Amino acid sequence: MSVFSGLGTAAKEIVRGGRIYYAWVALLLVFISLGLVAYVGQLRNGLGMTNMRNQVAWGFYISNFTFLVGVAAAAVLLVIPAYVYNFKPIKEIAFLGELMAVTAIVMCILFVAVDVGGPANLWHLIPFIGRPNFPVSLLTWDIVVLNGYLGINGFIFFYVLYKVSRGQKYSRILPLILLSIPWAVGIHTVTAFLYNGLVARPFWNAAILAPRFLASAFCSGPALMILVLQLVRRQFRIDIDGRALTKIAELVAYALAFNLFLLGAEAFKEFYGQSEHIAPMKYLYLGLHGHHALVPFMWTALTLNVTALMLFLVPRFRNNVKLLNVGCVFILCGVYIEKGLGLVVPGFTPDALGEIYEYVPSVTELAVSLGIWSSGALCFTLLAKFSIPVFIKAKQFTLLGEPSE
Amino acid sequence: MKNDGCTPRACPSSEAPVAGATAERGAPLLQLGRRPPDRRAILGASVAAVAAAATGSGCGNHRFDAHYKELTDEDKRRIFERIEAETRARTGVDVKISAPQPMDGVEFAYALDLSLCNGNRRCAEACARENNLPDVPKFRYIQVLEMDRGTLDFENANAYYEHDEVPVPGKVYLPVQCQHCANPPCVKVCPVTATWREPDGLVVVDYNWCIGCRYCIAACPYFGRRFNFHEPTVRPRDINPDQGYISNRLRPVGVVEKCTFCLQRTRVGRYPACLEACPTGARKFGNLGDPNGEVRIMLERKRVYVLKEELGTLPRFYYFYG
Ligand code: SF4
Ligand code: SF4
């Protein structure tokens, strides 16, 4: 059938590519192998290979997980204007947002999987054969909503791809696309509640946590999107409307301003009140009892975020592609620090009995994480390589010129 | 008068028959085959087999056991025997696994006299021996916090003091272990119900069922839980052979464990090891259901308080100044 032969040709696209493409894939494969080797070491010797301890029970893995949930949730930022307001320039590229969501969720699941002490026991989570503690444990909620989000976005992506390859309309799927919007807010809220519900950890047990989660997610996700879109534009020589990028940048600017406002509100409450709950905040920004592993990172993050806000607020800067990209990189790094280690570690520092254990990721943790990020990048690369030609063939994009290959 | 958990009594389930057991120490799947082939076990086994193959951690056949609460007496006998055999093969020590059951009308509670505690930490060491805690890497269920007289400030406390003599003038000592909360946040968060509160108030962990996510550690306000980041090693001559399945048996790497108020002792009418070891008499243990229980008397006669009362965890561990 022509459909399948069409998809077959698309599949062939995966193995076709220039030198840069092959080098990129090879590099990712090397990183993935490094990660695998490190992970096997961790399986053999236990999580003692990481620098997590009883005082700081979660570390780099869960930090990355949290950051990536944000990236996944932010795919909706593309979907909202595309479908709700029918903004054409974004509608063309919305499927890339879904692709990014799928990739990010896959990475999230991997990060949780490498964090557990008994991966072979994970089947205890499966309904009917295991004993999932649903609906009491927020972790089971998170598993449900993340897998649901993966399913929804995966289905939308492949359905749209299939329809486009046959030259058909895909409007029937609109309800599902609309459903993905509240669902994205859901995955993020549930992940925030995972921390939020713990009375033992004053740093997390504050109502501001969920709103801050959303605000920072709507900064980092779209910022990554803006960068990835430009790479896609360059690699596939397709015309992505510049207006789409500036529109996204505008949304990022609002989210970033709101995020900084919430941070300010939090800082005011802690530093003005000076209660004992200030300790984690102090640990982050000033250092506590001579421990300040995270202080330079937190100030870097703050500086990056504020600078990026300047770049994004002023239309003249925002419309300059170079400055826009600089801003995006700043936001990504800023939020990665703030929403990663800057969120997880202070929950445990000082610990429930006031002890300070200074956590920094171990080599194993860095290598495994690099491996997971590389698998995500590989997943995105291959799926993009597979799908974009289908869209090009269906004349969904205007080409910028003949590909150089 | 209701049952007093501290009167010696025999525990029926610790007398499980050993003789005449059929050989079933082979591969896990064979053992599974001995059970009526229910869907749950088979699905679970195959998923776990895939997971084990995928992760390369096929170590130990405990991966296929059902949850503690679903074990029949026959399952328990089989699993206990298997663990005993494994332990013998691995360490050369003959241990006895049991699962004493909670008694009706018993709710255990602890009380600790802070005016008597002098920070000698015998409790923590006795606990380590009773409960088979590793020395390398070393951790203890009981943290004794040393604080300046005049404060109860955790942030300036030190649990790692080393002195030739205690108490040090100007210091006070506050031992903290799992508080066996009546509203335990650690139980709520566990994604697989691997930890729960027993009818007699003991908060326990099924080491075979725990997936090692450490969410319960994040949830505990009292640093009551420990995760086995490393393979726990207990020297064979230190192993306590009297082992409870959900308390002091040897734990595998990658699971969470905690104080169980020495379930294997207290449910058969003995005192917890920490209490027996305390030379100052600061520790009291008893049954809240018994009007003459030690802790009940303390609650009535002394002004007691609990740690972090504002969190609503309802600890069953009371502190007082005698
Ligand atoms: S002290 Fe911690 S571990 Fe013990 S029952 Fe309370 S919350 Fe759970
Ligand atoms: S570490 Fe084990 S007991 Fe604790 S929450 Fe996770 S699965 Fe439950």
Side-chain angles (χ1 to χ4, degrees):
Chain A
M1 277 174 67
S2 66
V3 190
F4 292 110
S5 70
L7 288 180
T9 341
K12 275 188 210 125
E13 288 290 335
I14 290 180
V15 290
R16 277 216 327 245
R19 211 177 291 156
I20 297 184
Y21 172 69
Y22 276 116
W24 168 243
V25 171
L27 183 73
L28 292 178
L29 288 175
V30 169
F31 287 161
I32 292 172
S33 331
L34 276 182
L36 270 178
V37 170
Y39 183 62
V40 169
Q42 180 187 302
L43 272 183
R44 285 242 173 91
N45 304 308
L47 280 166
M49 295 298 285
T50 72
N51 278 346
M52 293 183 274
R53 289 299 177 264
N54 281 307
Q55 292 80 0
V56 178
W58 288 339
F60 200 50
Y61 296 149
I62 297 299
S63 305
N64 277 293
F65 159 77
T66 314
F67 175 78
L68 283 166
V69 173
V71 171
V76 288
L77 260 204
L78 290 180
V79 174
I80 295 173
Y83 292 96
V84 180
Y85 300 115
N86 214 354
F87 185 62
K88 183 108 190 338
I90 288 194
K91 201 167 187 171
E92 284 173 350
I93 51 173
F95 80 99
L96 285 171
E98 261 127 32
L99 184 50
M100 206 164 82
V102 169
T103 316
I105 296 282
V106 168
M107 284 195 268
C108 286
I109 292 172
L110 287 175
F111 270 115
V112 173
V114 298
D115 186 68
V116 298
N121 271 351
L122 281 173
W123 63 273
H124 297 167
L125 285 164
I126 303 171
F128 305 113
I129 62 165
R131 288 170 59 103
N133 189 10
F134 188 81
V136 178
S137 169
L138 261 298
L139 202 54
T140 56
W141 277 78
D142 219 17
I143 291 165
V144 170
V145 290
L146 286 179
N147 282 303
Y149 196 65
L150 180 63
I152 290 179
N153 282 289
F155 183 78
I156 295 175
F157 175 75
F158 284 106
Y159 182 84
V160 170
L161 186 67
Y162 173 74
K163 285 292 180 187
V164 164
S165 73
R166 302 182 82 175
Q168 289 167 341
K169 288 223 175 329
Y170 47 86
S171 44
R172 274 237 295 278
I173 205 166
L174 193 63
L176 205 55
I177 292 176
L178 293 180
L179 174 68
S180 76
I181 297 172
W183 203 290
V185 176
I187 62 168
H188 221 57
T189 311
V190 170
T191 308
F193 285 175
L194 199 89
Y195 296 99
N196 211 183
L198 303 180
V199 292
R201 313 283 168 183
F203 185 74
W204 296 334
N205 193 221
I208 205 166
L209 198 77
R212 265 201 82 190
F213 257 59
L214 282 176
S216 62
F218 287 159
C219 306
S220 56
L224 184 59
M225 202 69 229
I226 292 175
L227 294 176
V228 168
L229 284 178
Q230 291 176 63
L231 278 178
V232 167
R233 173 157 75 181
R234 168 105 51 90
Q235 275 312 110
F236 293 91
R237 311 196 135 255
I238 51 179
D239 185 18
I240 290 175
D241 196 326
R243 279 179 304 158
L245 296 187
T246 36
K247 190 89 206 159
I248 302 175
E250 206 182 306
L251 294 170
V252 172
Y254 299 141
L256 189 55
F258 191 54
N259 186 29
L260 286 170
F261 169 73
L262 291 179
L263 174 65
E266 210 178 357
F268 169 78
K269 180 229 165 200
E270 300 294 2
F271 283 100
Y272 191 81
Q274 295 278 340
S275 81
E276 65 174 304
H277 295 169
I278 198 180
M281 264 290 197
K282 261 197 186 148
Y283 175 67
L284 282 183
Y285 288 99
L286 303 173
L288 194 63
H289 304 304
H291 300 277
H292 17 236
L294 287 185
V295 175
F297 290 99
M298 294 315 288
W299 284 104
T300 312
L302 192 61
T303 317
L304 290 173
N305 284 342
V306 172
T307 319
L309 180 65
M310 298 302 159
L311 291 177
F312 274 58
L313 272 189
V314 183
R316 194 155 49 89
F317 294 157
R318 182 165 75 215
N319 293 334
N320 175 330
V321 179
K322 279 218 183 78
L323 286 181
L324 178 77
N325 288 344
V326 171
C328 286
V329 173
F330 280 14
I331 290 179
L332 272 180
C333 299
V335 174
Y336 185 67
I337 297 171
E338 184 199 300
K339 254 287 263 325
L341 286 178
L343 174 95
V344 173
V345 174
F348 294 102
T349 326
D351 82 354
L353 295 186
E355 187 181 339
I356 297 178
Y357 166 79
E358 274 216 291
Y359 168 83
V360 277
S362 74
V363 175
T364 299
E365 285 171 279
L366 294 175
V368 170
S369 304
L370 179 68
I372 294 178
W373 275 97
S374 305
S375 347
L378 187 65
C379 171
F380 187 90
T381 308
L382 297 184
L383 282 176
K385 193 96 172 92
F386 169 80
S387 57
I388 290 173
V390 176
F391 285 86
I392 292 177
K393 224 167 159 196
K395 306 244 180 325
Q396 289 265 318
F397 291 120
T398 342
L399 284 186
L400 288 172
E402 280 310 301
S404 53
E405 294 300 324
Chain B
M1 202 174 106
K2 288 183 183 161
N3 281 338
D4 180 352
C6 295
T7 27
R9 63 178 66 229
C11 169
S13 46
S14 66
E15 313 286 291
V18 184
T22 37
E24 49 179 4
R25 280 152 201 163
L29 286 172
L30 286 178
Q31 285 164 6
L32 261 169
R34 286 186 54 83
R35 301 179 64 185
D38 71 89
R39 180 180 52 114
R40 207 171 195 191
I42 290 171
L43 268 173
S46 47
V47 173
V50 171
T55 57
S57 68
C59 53
N61 34 17
H62 61 271
R63 295 296 181 213
F64 307 103
D65 293 338
H67 189 278
Y68 174 74
K69 289 190 184 172
E70 290 172 11
L71 298 179
T72 62
D73 286 346
E74 166 61 19
D75 289 335
K76 284 184 189 164
R77 192 186 56 78
R78 180 175 48 79
I79 292 172
F80 295 179
E81 276 175 18
R82 189 189 72 217
I83 296 176
E84 286 162 3
E86 274 174 10
T87 313
R88 199 175 310 122
R90 198 155 50 92
T91 64
V93 181
D94 273 314
V95 302
K96 181 88 195 73
I97 311 275
S98 65
Q101 294 302 301
M103 288 171 277
D104 282 343
V106 173
E107 187 182 358
F108 289 121
Y110 219 114
L112 198 147
D113 187 346
L114 289 174
S115 56
L116 290 181
C117 176
N118 63 9
N120 63 70
R121 284 189 294 213
R122 300 255 175 85
C123 51
E125 293 316 305
C127 162
R129 292 288 72 83
E130 169 67 28
N131 292 301
N132 294 310
L133 295 187
D135 282 319
V136 196
K138 176 174 163 173
F139 62 76
R140 295 291 178 254
Y141 291 163
I142 304 178
Q143 298 279 97
V144 182
L145 304 182
E146 184 185 67
M147 292 177 276
D148 289 335
R149 193 169 275 279
T151 71
L152 271 182
D153 177 13
F154 287 159
E155 218 187 294
N156 292 302
N158 175 14
Y160 305 99
Y161 57 89
E162 292 299 339
H163 308 304
D164 293 334
E165 225 173 272
V166 284
V168 170
K171 300 281 184 193
V172 293
Y173 298 87
L174 174 76
V176 185
Q177 63 207 73
C178 169
Q179 311 277 303
H180 292 271
C181 309
N183 179 22
C186 56
V187 166
K188 243 193 309 201
V189 299
C190 178
V192 292
T193 62
T195 184
W196 67 93
R197 186 170 188 263
E198 289 269 292
D200 56 358
L202 304 180
V203 177
V204 294
V205 179
D206 182 346
Y207 310 123
N208 277 4
W209 199 257
C210 170
I211 60 171
C213 67
R214 307 185 300 291
Y215 198 10
C216 53
I217 296 189
C220 171
Y222 306 100
F223 196 56
R225 297 177 159 255
R226 303 291 180 273
F227 179 75
N228 284 290
F229 284 92
H230 300 89
E231 184 78 49
T233 42
V234 188
R235 279 175 307 190
R237 66 182 152 95
D238 285 342
I239 292 177
N240 172 9
D242 176 15
Q243 302 185 349
Y245 181 74
I246 48 172
S247 56
N248 66 336
R249 72 178 166 97
L250 301 177
R251 276 80 60 185
V253 66
V255 303
V256 156
E257 57 176 86
K258 63 188 290 300
C259 157
T260 60
F261 279 170
C262 289
L263 176 150
Q264 69 285 355
R265 296 167 65 108
T266 48
R267 277 194 182 166
V268 297
R270 300 173 67 197
Y271 277 120
C274 48
L275 184 147
E276 279 184 358
C278 178
T280 68
R283 291 174 170 266
K284 315 277 175 212
F285 182 78
N287 171 14
L288 283 182
D290 172 8
N292 299 315
E294 271 177 55
V295 175
R296 273 288 286 274
I297 292 175
M298 293 304 141
L299 287 180
E300 272 152 33
R301 301 206 185 136
K302 306 288 179 189
R303 281 161 292 173
V304 303
Y305 77 102
V306 295
L307 296 181
K308 305 193 186 184
E309 187 175 9
E310 70 277 12
L311 300 183
T313 51
L314 307 180
R316 286 293 173 257
F317 199 109
Y318 303 95
Y319 294 89
F320 66 97
Y321 293 90

